[in-house]
Amino acid sequence: MQTALDEQVTVLENVLRAGNVEVPQPSTSGPEPSPDDAADTSGGPGDGATATVSPGDTARSTGDAADQTSGPSRAELAAAALRDLGQSCLEDVSPTSLDSLSTVTAANLPMLISIAGQRGATAHLFGQVPRWGDLTGPTDAAANSLLAAYRPAVYGFEVLAARASGEERTAYEAVLDPLRTATRQITQLAGKAAAPAPLGYGLPPGTADEEGRKALAGELLAAIPPAIMGQTRAFAGDGASVAGSVRLLADAVRLAQAWNPVTGFPGMRVPGA
């Protein structure tokens, strides 16, 4: 996940520099020391003298050390940091944030939708589940173009689940249900523009063993983000299609996480990434 976030930072910095825009720098300055702190750390007249410590001071010192070691563990601090990151990512896909995306120019919209989709997936993976609104876009031909990726994925995961067993089968079924739901919704949004579903798809060999099935799962899900992103430039000013694309992308990235790493710009090839 850190690699994906670093990738976003690198690319966005390059975009700003290309536009002769100053790159914001994180603040690294700590709090100014108080006069009391300065007095505690400054040398006094007796710096060279040997200090004497009373038994009471020793007891207080020991108690202070105990207090310092009774704080949160490293694991607890790490968990808190991940929750904070998830919350931050959740804010990036809030209704207000998604509404603002629809005002972005066509040139910049695909990159920002890709980032928002990655943030939505990250929020969910870190326990902060986005509260998406109803899926109301994309519609018509734009929705139909998505079916070319979703329908084979549904068929493929049906085959994978049928040929697997135990925990492996459970993993495929956990992806299959949301894929079916998304495909039904997209078909409804496509309306009359929806092409008839093929009767079947030819699957590559290798599904007889677990490694081959894992590879196929990754390939099927990897086809979805580019299908979503391929038409987003045309969604400038279309709030429903922008929000729907972010939601579909976030779900696709999250569902694929077991087989495909989360990237900074899912569905895109970004120069400098």
Side-chain angles (χ1 to χ4, degrees), residues 86-111:
Q87 182 62 40
S88 177
C89 290
L90 186 63
E91 294 171 0
D92 289 339
V93 292
S94 67
T96 301
S97 297
L98 295 180
D99 285 344
S100 66
L101 275 183
S102 63
T103 66
V104 174
T105 62
N108 296 322
L109 185 59
M111 178 182 290

Side-chain angles (χ1 to χ4, degrees), residues 14-272:
N14 290 340
V15 170
L16 291 175
R17 291 192 179 99
N20 293 320
V21 177
E22 184 177 356
V23 177
Q25 297 297 322
S27 175
T28 57
S29 59
E32 292 294 329
S34 66
D36 292 339
D37 293 335
D40 290 340
T41 58
S42 62
D47 286 346
T50 302
T52 59
V53 182
S54 69
D57 291 339
T58 303
R60 285 193 296 272
S61 177
T62 304
D64 292 343
D67 291 341
Q68 292 174 0
T69 58
S70 63
S73 66
R74 289 185 178 180
E76 290 171 334
L77 291 173
L82 291 180
R83 284 195 300 270
D84 291 344
L85 176 58
Q87 182 62 40
S88 177
C89 290
L90 186 63
E91 294 171 0
D92 289 339
V93 292
S94 67
T96 301
S97 297
L98 295 180
D99 285 344
S100 66
L101 275 183
S102 63
T103 66
V104 174
T105 62
N108 296 322
L109 185 59
M111 178 182 290
L112 296 180
I113 286 179
S114 182
I115 292 176
Q118 188 270 346
R119 299 293 174 86
T122 301
H124 200 144
L125 291 171
F126 288 163
Q128 306 292 331
V129 181
R131 295 184 178 180
W132 306 110
D134 293 336
L135 188 67
T136 56
T139 59
D140 302 325
N144 179 60
S145 68
L146 297 179
L147 294 175
Y150 276 87
R151 284 170 170 169
V154 169
Y155 179 81
F157 270 81
E158 289 173 343
V159 173
L160 291 171
R163 297 188 180 183
S165 60
E167 293 182 359
E168 183 192 1
R169 179 172 183 169
T170 300
Y172 296 138
E173 290 175 339
V175 173
L176 181 56
D177 286 343
L179 278 180
R180 284 172 171 163
T181 299
T183 303
R184 285 195 297 268
Q185 292 175 316
I186 294 169
T187 302
Q188 293 173 351
L189 291 173
K192 295 181 179 180
L199 297 178
Y201 300 87
L203 292 177
T207 57
D209 61 89
E210 184 174 354
E211 289 303 314
R213 290 190 291 270
K214 288 181 178 179
L216 178 56
E219 292 174 6
L220 291 169
L221 294 176
I224 294 179
I228 296 171
M229 293 302 307
Q231 52 196 353
T232 51
R233 182 182 290 267
F235 295 158
D238 184 349
S241 293
V242 168
S245 296
V246 171
R247 173 182 176 176
L248 291 171
L249 185 62
D251 286 342
V253 171
R254 175 180 59 84
L255 293 175
Q257 192 263 341
W259 301 280
N260 299 329
V262 177
T263 63
F265 299 88
M268 296 188 72
R269 292 183 178 179
V270 181

